[in-house]
């Protein structure tokens, strides 16, 4: 047979997707490091912060699980990341030791915040 073997193309296609997902995963984790999110957050529940204390903010897998069926989550969470949250309306009273998230607009652009929130929401099992 001349030309490319379709089976090889099929295989290449199957492996390309997880590779892309891995790249995005790495990129989003780096973005979170660069933007200071991991000073207060961990990706997985049960992770400990400095000195073995509970992280200041909620674990992102818990965030993903809570807002899984909330169609406004992408927008609301981007607003929360950019503008901060209110200590008088705590969403994570039982799962975060911090009482509010400060605005992150100085550390991250809205475009990047949107991408990060989309990635966080995608952590839902
Ligand atoms: C100084 C600590 C701190 C930093 C830095 C921080 N967060 Fe938070 N974050 C918190 C706290 C505390 C909460 C819980 C607020 C609450 O209970 O309402 C929170 C909540 C959240 C939530 C859930 C909001 C909601 O309404 O349920 C998301 C999403 C989030 N943070 C993403 C981020 C991202 C992305 C970054 C980095 C750009 C970041 N956080 C940086 C402390 C922080």
């Amino acid at each position: 047979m001349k030309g490319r073997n379709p089976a090889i193309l099929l295989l290449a296609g199957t492996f390309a997707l997880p590779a892309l997902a891995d790249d995005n995963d790495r990129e989003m984790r780096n973005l979170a490091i660069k933007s200071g999110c991991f000073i207060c957050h961990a990706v997985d529940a049960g992770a400990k912060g400095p000195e073995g204390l509970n992280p200041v903010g909620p674990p992102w897998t818990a965030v993903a699980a809570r807002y899984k069926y909330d169609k406004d989550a992408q927008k609301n969470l981007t607003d929360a990341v950019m503008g901060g949250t209110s200590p008088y309306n705590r969403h994570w009273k039982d799962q975060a030791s911090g009482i509010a998230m400060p605005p992150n607009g100085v550390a991250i652009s809205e475009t990047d915040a949107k991408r990060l929130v989309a990635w966080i929401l995608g952590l839902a099992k």
Side-chain angles (χ1 to χ4, degrees):
M1 192 175 96
K2 289 249 166 68
R4 294 220 172 89
N5 182 338
I8 288 178
L9 283 182
L10 196 70
L11 273 178
T14 322
F15 289 119
L17 278 179
L20 279 178
D22 273 3
D23 278 355
N24 188 51
D25 197 63
R26 206 171 307 123
E27 197 186 337
M28 290 303 113
R29 283 172 191 268
N30 282 335
L31 181 58
I33 292 169
K34 201 179 76 184
S35 312
C37 313
F38 289 152
I39 295 171
C40 299
H41 290 276
V43 170
D44 295 310
K48 293 290 177 200
E51 306 289 339
L53 297 172
N54 281 336
V56 174
W60 282 349
T61 48
V63 172
R66 172 173 297 181
Y67 297 106
K68 199 169 171 181
Y69 300 110
D70 180 347
K71 62 177 175 35
D72 299 323
Q74 172 70 42
K75 187 193 178 300
N76 291 344
L77 296 184
T78 303
D79 288 350
V81 169
M82 294 309 286
T85 62
S86 166
Y88 301 111
N89 179 20
R90 294 171 64 187
H91 295 165
W92 295 94
K93 220 177 184 131
D94 305 323
Q95 287 178 70
S97 59
I99 59 166
M101 174 161 63
N104 292 285
V106 286
I108 192 168
S109 71
E110 180 149 5
T111 309
D112 278 347
K114 276 184 190 154
R115 295 169 67 211
L116 207 40
V117 164
W119 178 73
I120 292 169
L121 288 170
L123 295 170
K125 296 274 145 56

